Amino acid sequence: MSASTTVAAAQPAWLLPPPEASFAGQPDNLTALRRSAWEQFTETGLPNTRREAWRHTNLDPLKQFAFRPQAGDVPVSAEALAPYRLDGEIGAVCVNGTFRPDLSNLANLPEGAVLESLAAAIGRGALEQLQAFEFDQDQPAEGLSMAWLQDGIYLQVPQGVVIEQPLHFYFVSTGNDDSTVSFPRVHIQSGDNCQLALVEHHIGLGSQPRLTCSVTRIEVGPGAVVEYLRLLEEGAGAHHLASITARQQAGSQLQMTGLSTGGDLQRNDVTAALEGEGASHRMAGLYLVRGREQVDNHTRIDHMAPHTSSVETYKGILDGQGRGIFTGRIVVHPAGQQTDARQTNRNLMLSDQALVHTDPQLEIFADDVKCSHGSTVGQVDDEAMFYIRSRGIGMAEAHRLLVHGFSAEVLEQISHPLLRAVATEQVNRWLEELPAP
Amino acid sequence: MLDIVDLHAGTAATAGAPGTNGAGMTEILTGINLHIKAGEVHAIMGPNGSGKSTLAQVLAGRDTYEVTAGSVTYKGQDLLALSPEDRARNGLFLSFQYPVVIPGVNNIYLLQASVNAIRKHRQQEPLDAVDFLVLVREKIAEVQLDESFLHRPVNEGFSGGEKKRNEILQMLLLEPSLAVLDETDSGLDIDALKVIAEGVNRYRRADRALLLITHYQRLLNYVEPDRVHVLMDGRIVKSGGPELARELEAGGYAPIQEALAAAR
Ligand SMILES: Nc1ncnc2c1ncn2[C@@H]1O[C@H](COP(=O)(O)OP(=O)(O)OP(=O)(O)O)[C@@H](O)[C@H]1O
Ligand SMILES: [Mg+2]
């Protein structure tokens, strides 16, 4: 170290610091959190591949860009979203991270439930959750999202409210020729015994380089039944770092399904903490990669109370030179007696140049538990292919049929019929472009 | 309709393995000759491992088997030059000895896709979901399979007999000109055998032919064959009328084996 003048760590060139104007009007404690998150980020930088959690995913390519937030209101027409709309949905739309009441439709929201822009929720002090933030170098999505925190979607469902219509949260990323960054954020608080089904839908319009740092928090109250579907379909140029964390109270049920098709690079950190007795959790994921795309899934399920159960099903379909990573950690805490945890990760390789890393990790600190895990990597079944072709179906269609069949196990787990339908459509869009073997 | 002349086929084997010929092949079919005319029913019987299923799969176009010599002419065209799907579209149907499980693919979806693939080849309009449902309901009743099997993944968890009924359901829907049934009668209870036999008889027509691969006389009691052939070591070693099946049922294959040995 020279004795010269450097006081603060160098600012990263690929991402500007959050503009001063972005702090205007926010509560002081939030401003302090945000400033400190940015400072710590500039000190540590992005995690490199020497860090265990980032062994297979190199973020250096991000540094070739100069990401900046899209300025001002971006024109997005309601028609652009029309193909995605679900029957009777309660739709909330953010464009490049900013809540857009003009594109949202909250008419079907039941009385008592609150669905609003996150900025508004922060403004009225509704977000104590944010205070719990601690910087973690391995979670750049969290750190950057905090440093840039502006807006997002806030949902609060009070005790006993049942929402039948699907909630549909859109995060649309657009832009001109510049590289853009956005920080979509969702906070969900569901009270005792309430029920809801929600789609968080990330859609890319355009193909310029984009970075999305996405954070989702789901609080599931005692006895609540929540279904959460996350759809990533962002197309070429998209880089997506996501952190999804859920906490479940006693007797609650949460089902989370993540579907990824399209995007240059994705990293999904998904964690569920089963804090209350008898909480049950289903975590499912489907990652479809092709070209040079990469999807890295890091999941963690914590069994922290007795009689909790989890079923985790992740499936990958990898074509071209695509890369898939699954690291699934299940931790049974000492209090997690009579835990029942099952995990599977299955991968279908459509090309011999595709690559997958699968790494199940069980850490068990209780003695009376049932835990199992299994992972497989395989190819399309020749015999099944022949059987289908022998019924007059051509090679390309037979191939699609088998690949779709492989994904069905995850799609069938989605309980809400409209959620299942929208996920199936997304898988089908991917399959339409599948080249014949 | 079908003319098989001196057909040799086998699988690629590691060089030098027993039974391997110079080209590194294990020969399974060692010179098959078989001629089937429209309207005829032929039965093939033969010991386990004699090559019956290999013949059936070669006819349907399974590429694990390589044809090393001979020819197969079907409706005047070179069958071996066609892809499996084109064989099916031209009216060849194989009922598999071991129907394949296809996880995640609904039975009705596969049925509709195959019916429409074949209709397209015949330049007919595709059937929409409603029309197809009407058709499939009629046919599934004929094989006495519950409609719930339409909505299960193809063959997944089906019992042996249910798989065979499902194969016959496919046959009835696809209306082939030549159906090869590879042990479709094996593992069936008495009632199911009757159902299958009735299905087969309903399928029969002057312009359609049938090749039944079977171990038992039972099916042939219901579906009277015009010719019965005995396949051994990859060749047809004896052919005859329906009485040959009854002889085999009574005396087994030993007399034929002995006669062959004596002739050598
Ligand atoms: N793909 C293959 N690889 C290696 N050997 C094979 C293969 N297919 C068939 N064979 C062998 O070829 C021989 C004939 O098999 P095939 O299935 O045609 O007999 P089969 O007459 O149908 O018998 P079964 O009455 O038991 O059904 C057997 O010895 C079998 O092991
Ligand atoms: Mg056989």
Side-chain angles (χ1 to χ4, degrees):
Chain A
M1 271 284 169
S2 75
S4 66
T5 53
T6 319
V7 267
Q11 299 286 322
W14 59 276
L15 182 65
L16 301 172
E20 275 311 309
S22 75
F23 295 95
Q26 290 189 336
D28 289 348
N29 53 3
L30 184 57
T31 300
L33 271 176
R34 288 183 52 197
R35 289 196 195 281
S36 120
W38 179 254
E39 257 165 47
Q40 290 178 81
F41 179 76
T42 53
E43 270 164 37
T44 63
L46 288 166
N48 60 32
T49 53
R50 287 188 299 275
R51 299 186 71 83
E52 179 61 26
W54 289 87
R55 206 148 49 102
H56 300 297
T57 297
N58 183 4
L59 293 177
D60 279 348
L62 294 180
K63 296 177 186 164
Q64 66 186 299
F65 302 106
F67 291 111
R68 58 211 61 226
Q70 184 70 36
D73 268 2
V74 182
V76 169
S77 70
E79 286 88 78
L81 301 178
Y84 303 102
R85 299 281 184 193
L86 308 177
D87 270 356
E89 72 175 25
I90 301 161
V93 179
C94 281
V95 176
N96 296 322
T98 304
F99 189 80
R100 292 282 295 268
D102 57 318
L103 297 169
S104 302
N105 178 3
L106 311 182
N108 288 335
L109 191 70
E111 200 151 335
V114 177
L115 175 50
E116 63 185 350
S117 90
L118 191 67
I122 291 169
R124 59 181 178 80
L127 275 171
E128 286 156 31
Q129 270 182 349
L130 290 173
Q131 302 301 329
F133 176 80
E134 273 177 48
F135 186 84
D136 178 351
Q137 187 187 354
D138 283 331
Q139 301 285 343
E142 290 277 352
L144 290 171
S145 172
M146 176 52 81
W148 285 77
L149 196 143
Q150 287 286 278
D151 203 357
I153 298 173
Y154 174 74
L155 172 69
Q156 196 214 338
V157 182
Q159 185 171 346
V161 171
V162 174
I163 308 183
E164 312 249 341
Q165 264 84 4
L167 292 142
H168 198 166
F169 295 179
Y170 298 79
F171 290 94
V172 182
S173 60
T174 67
N176 44 33
D177 299 333
D178 287 341
S179 315
T180 59
V181 61
S182 63
F183 304 91
R185 207 174 170 98
V186 172
H187 284 253
I188 299 163
Q189 285 184 307
S190 49
D192 301 17
N193 301 311
C194 74
Q195 290 184 24
L196 63 103
L198 170 92
V199 188
E200 183 183 319
H201 203 156
H202 294 262
I203 299 165
L205 305 175
S207 60
Q208 82 287 7
R210 278 153 294 153
L211 172 64
T212 305
C213 295
S214 157
V215 169
T216 300
R217 293 259 186 289
I218 307 174
E219 301 277 348
V220 186
V225 179
V226 174
E227 173 155 31
Y228 169 77
L229 171 65
R230 183 183 171 78
L231 302 177
L232 295 185
E233 188 177 23
E234 295 182 300
H239 306 79
H240 195 117
L241 307 177
S243 170
I244 300 107
T245 53
R247 290 170 57 201
Q248 287 185 248
Q249 303 314 314
S252 65
Q253 299 171 37
L254 173 62
Q255 180 166 345
M256 300 206 285
T257 308
L259 169 58
S260 311
T261 61
D264 292 355
L265 174 69
Q266 273 173 35
R267 163 72 176 231
N268 303 308
D269 280 272
V270 186
T271 68
L274 281 60
E275 297 177 356
E277 184 159 355
S280 75
H281 184 87
R282 292 176 86 91
M283 190 185 280
L286 194 55
Y287 43 102
L288 313 187
V289 299
R290 58 165 54 122
R292 294 177 160 274
E293 294 170 351
Q294 173 163 344
V295 177
D296 182 348
N297 294 299
H298 265 63
T299 72
R300 174 175 174 144
I301 300 174
D302 283 279
H303 290 265
M304 304 162 74
H307 298 286
T308 52
S309 66
S310 65
V311 179
E312 182 176 10
T313 314
Y314 265 72
K315 286 192 140 183
I317 301 174
L318 300 105
D319 199 8
Q321 299 175 57
R323 300 227 302 155
I325 296 121
F326 172 79
T327 305
R329 200 157 155 203
I330 292 176
V331 185
V332 182
H333 295 245
Q337 296 296 358
Q338 280 100 40
T339 283
D340 189 346
R342 280 172 284 158
Q343 179 194 74
T344 56
N345 172 231
R346 306 206 183 288
N347 297 282
L348 180 65
M349 313 303 281
L350 301 182
S351 137
D352 50 15
Q353 293 189 64
L355 200 65
V356 70
H357 299 276
T358 169
D359 186 11
Q361 302 173 349
L362 299 185
E363 291 169 36
I364 300 173
F365 303 103
D367 45 29
D368 183 12
V369 301
K370 271 197 286 196
C371 286
S372 67
H373 68 83
S375 59
T376 57
V377 179
Q379 276 101 34
V380 168
D381 179 0
D382 278 348
E383 239 187 304
M385 188 78 182
F386 174 62
Y387 186 73
I388 297 174
R389 292 176 71 195
S390 80
R391 269 49 179 150
I393 295 172
M395 186 127 83
E397 193 183 349
H399 191 239
R400 265 199 296 275
L401 211 67
L402 285 172
V403 175
H404 188 276
F406 182 82
S407 68
E409 186 188 356
V410 171
L411 296 173
E412 279 161 10
Q413 282 192 28
I414 303 173
S415 307
H416 195 293
L418 291 175
L419 267 58
R420 195 185 320 125
V422 69
T424 303
E425 278 166 26
Q426 185 176 328
V427 169
N428 287 339
R429 275 195 291 279
W430 191 83
L431 287 175
E432 269 163 29
E433 284 164 33
L434 192 64
Chain B
M1 175 166 297
L2 182 74
D3 292 291
I4 304 177
V5 178
D6 192 30
L7 181 67
H8 291 249
T11 56
T14 40
T20 304
N21 73 9
M25 295 283 298
T26 307
E27 231 181 36
I28 302 171
L29 303 182
T30 56
I32 302 248
N33 290 287
L34 182 64
H35 303 275
I36 303 179
K37 293 200 189 71
E40 289 183 346
V41 175
H42 288 231
I44 291 186
M45 304 181 81
N48 293 135
S50 56
K52 302 181 297 297
S53 294
T54 302
L55 173 61
Q57 299 262 323
V58 166
L59 291 178
R62 179 82 213 247
D63 66 1
T64 24
Y65 302 106
E66 198 179 318
V67 173
T68 47
S71 68
V72 180
T73 311
Y74 168 72
K75 287 185 181 171
Q77 52 183 337
D78 176 7
L79 184 73
L80 301 177
L82 299 179
S83 66
E85 54 271 34
D86 280 337
R87 296 180 197 203
R89 291 166 186 169
N90 282 294
L92 179 81
F93 178 83
L94 170 62
S95 167
F96 282 56
Q97 181 177 3
Y98 302 110
V100 182
V101 174
I102 308 179
V105 177
N106 268 347
N107 204 19
I108 190 162
Y109 191 89
L110 176 67
L111 293 170
Q112 188 178 354
S114 40
V115 164
N116 281 336
I118 282 168
R119 287 179 68 89
K120 186 174 175 194
H121 181 79
R122 295 177 185 157
Q123 298 183 333
Q124 296 169 318
E125 287 294 304
L127 293 182
D128 64 21
V130 177
D131 290 342
F132 182 72
L133 196 62
V134 172
L135 176 68
V136 79
R137 280 192 168 143
E138 175 198 323
K139 302 291 183 191
I140 201 168
E142 289 181 19
V143 298
Q144 295 182 19
L145 203 56
D146 192 87
E147 282 184 24
S148 62
F149 285 89
L150 294 173
H151 305 288
R152 284 169 55 173
V154 180
N155 292 317
E156 194 170 81
F158 290 21
S159 77
E162 288 159 355
K163 284 181 183 165
K164 299 300 171 81
R165 288 177 199 227
N166 195 48
E167 295 289 289
I168 295 301
L169 170 61
Q170 295 178 0
M171 181 185 82
L172 295 176
L173 283 167
L174 299 183
E175 303 189 314
S177 332
L178 172 64
V180 180
L181 308 190
D182 189 357
E183 293 198 31
T184 304
D185 56 338
S186 289
L188 295 182
D189 65 40
I190 301 152
D191 295 338
L193 183 73
K194 255 178 140 164
V195 168
I196 296 280
E198 279 162 16
V200 169
N201 281 328
R202 243 192 307 267
Y203 155 80
R204 289 183 69 175
R205 251 177 24 192
D207 59 342
R208 291 176 174 168
L210 201 57
L211 180 58
L212 301 174
I213 296 171
T214 181
H215 286 296
Y216 309 105
Q217 169 61 32
R218 311 187 297 171
L219 177 66
L220 306 181
N221 289 337
Y222 295 102
V223 188
E224 170 101 336
D226 297 293
R227 300 289 290 165
V228 175
H229 310 276
V230 179
L231 190 70
M232 277 186 185
D233 298 328
R235 292 183 303 129
I236 290 176
V237 296
K238 191 168 181 181
S239 298
E243 74 289 345
L244 178 55
R246 286 188 281 274
E247 276 168 38
L248 291 171
E249 182 96 342
Y253 296 107
I256 297 177
Q257 260 152 348
E258 281 157 23
L260 283 177
R264 247 180 251 138

